[in-house]
Amino acid sequence: MSVVACDLFDHFEETELDDILTQLGVRHLYICGAETDNGVRHTSNAALERGYDVTLVDDAHSTTDGPGNSGILLASAIVDEMNRAFSNYKLPGRSASTGTTEGVAF
């Protein structure tokens, strides 16, 4: 089984990712990557909504500067906002947390 690539920000949508993780018995995901405001944000939230515990690796995701309501949003502000918002994200029966690459232990 392989994950089918898609152009959606949520990497669970229209892929076999959830099925693969279920078959492997994975219940906790560590998320990092590029495009904080797209794939990282949407996949992290989708994982929680599907019942996974999620740790956002706060020093291992990035993005580029983007447009905002009153000018340009700096990439650093987008990353900081994601880290702050995700560390306070709560859903019943699952955990959302942030941690550094140094603190990740499997």
Side-chain angles (χ1 to χ4, degrees):
M1 183 182 304
S2 62
V3 175
V4 178
C6 73
D7 294 326
L8 303 173
F9 295 147
D10 170 359
H11 297 294
F12 284 93
E13 282 297 319
E14 297 184 5
T15 71
E16 298 172 356
L17 180 58
D18 197 29
D19 293 335
I20 293 168
L21 295 172
T22 298
Q23 286 182 1
L24 294 171
V26 174
R27 298 308 316 149
H28 190 133
L29 302 179
Y30 293 84
I31 304 220
C32 58
E35 294 301 322
T36 296
D37 45 342
N38 293 318
V40 172
R41 178 181 309 277
H42 295 284
T43 301
S44 297
N45 292 340
L48 282 168
E49 291 163 4
R50 285 173 169 77
Y52 293 92
D53 293 322
V54 178
T55 299
L56 174 64
V57 185
D58 61 13
D59 59 351
H61 62 97
S62 64
T63 193
T64 56
D65 295 341
N69 292 335
S70 59
I72 295 293
L73 291 173
L74 297 178
S76 59
I78 295 168
V79 169
D80 289 345
E81 186 277 330
M82 176 67 188
N83 289 337
R84 191 172 37 258
F86 198 76
S87 66
N88 293 314
Y89 193 51
K90 300 198 182 337
L91 289 173
R94 55 220 109 142
S95 68
S97 61
T98 58
T100 64
T101 51
E102 191 174 296
V104 171
F106 298 98

